[in-house]
């Protein structure tokens, strides 16, 4: 492809996804802001999870995760002004993790991309929709995650999961698969 064709293609692409009130620079900044919040979420939750696993095993860690994860999401939302959550095609917490139409489509896309070789941790997506900037970042299943999300769940762990989440769908994952995604949105100023 020559230069002119490339720039025409880029122009078509960007003009179709970026409305007039959010410039490309704005989008770049919003993306960076969202990435920072995702880092804070993961950087707060994962150490607590790992610590709880070490100290009290997975059953204790389920208690911690079930209380701490929604709390961290809420605190980050209050602190940053973004709506912060985690979503999945196979939800554990159906109250918080059920995806809407855009999120569902992106999660399906993430699965396809991961299956064809892209690392889950590299998958992101964003859109300007209904006056909001929306951002998603996939979370891959790492070894530690499989204790509670894998294919071979210990009976005691299963029992604890059933107690908290009777409709749990979030098991059966293998290493590297997309477990879910952080999903953030921010209302754009007019
Ligand atoms: C000790 C068990 C345990 C481990 C280990 C664990 N999780 Fe979870 N996971 C949970 C519980 C419990 C919830 C529900 C938390 C909530 O209510 O927000 C959850 C929820 C999630 C969600 C939110 C979507 C949903 O389905 O509710 C994602 C995404 C997720 N886990 C990813 C991971 C990843 C990635 C790892 C590894 C780094 C991991 N989990 C390790 C127990 C665990």
């Amino acid at each position: 492809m020559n230069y002119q064709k490339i720039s025409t293609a880029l122009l078509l692409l960007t003009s179709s996804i970026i409305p007039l009130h959010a410039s490309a620079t704005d989008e770049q900044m919003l993306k960076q802001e969202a990435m920072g919040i995702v880092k804070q979420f993961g950087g707060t939750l994962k150490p607590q999870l790992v610590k709880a696993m070490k100290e009290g095993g997975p059953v204790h860690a389920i208690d911690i995760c079930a209380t701490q994860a929604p709390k961290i999401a809420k605190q980050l939302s209050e602190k940053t002004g973004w709506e912060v959550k985690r979503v999945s095609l196979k939800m554990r917490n159906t109250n918080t993790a059920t995806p809407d139409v855009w999120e569902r489509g992106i999660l399906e896309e993430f699965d396809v991309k991961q299956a064809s070789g892209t690392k889950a941790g590299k998958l992101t997506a964003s859109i300007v929709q209904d006056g909001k900037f929306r951002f998603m970042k996939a979370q891959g299943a790492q070894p530690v995650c499989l204790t509670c999300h894998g294919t071979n769940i210990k009976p005691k762990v299963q029992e604890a999961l059933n107690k908290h989440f009777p409709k749990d769908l979030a098991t059966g994952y293998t290493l590297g698969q997309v477990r879910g995604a952080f999903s953030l949105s921010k209302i754009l100023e007019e």
Side-chain angles (χ1 to χ4, degrees), residues 4 9 24 43 46 54 61 63 76 84 100 124 127 146 155 169 189:
Q4 177 141 29
K46 200 170 166 206
K54 275 199 190 124
D63 286 337
L76 275 175
V84 181
D100 68 13
T124 63
I127 190 176
L146 300 179
L169 298 172
E189 322 254 318

Side-chain angles (χ1 to χ4, degrees), residues 114 118-120 140-142 146 174-178:
Q114 189 275 327
T118 311
K119 284 223 162 74
Q142 301 161 19
L146 300 179
T174 54
L175 202 61
Q177 283 186 322
V178 175

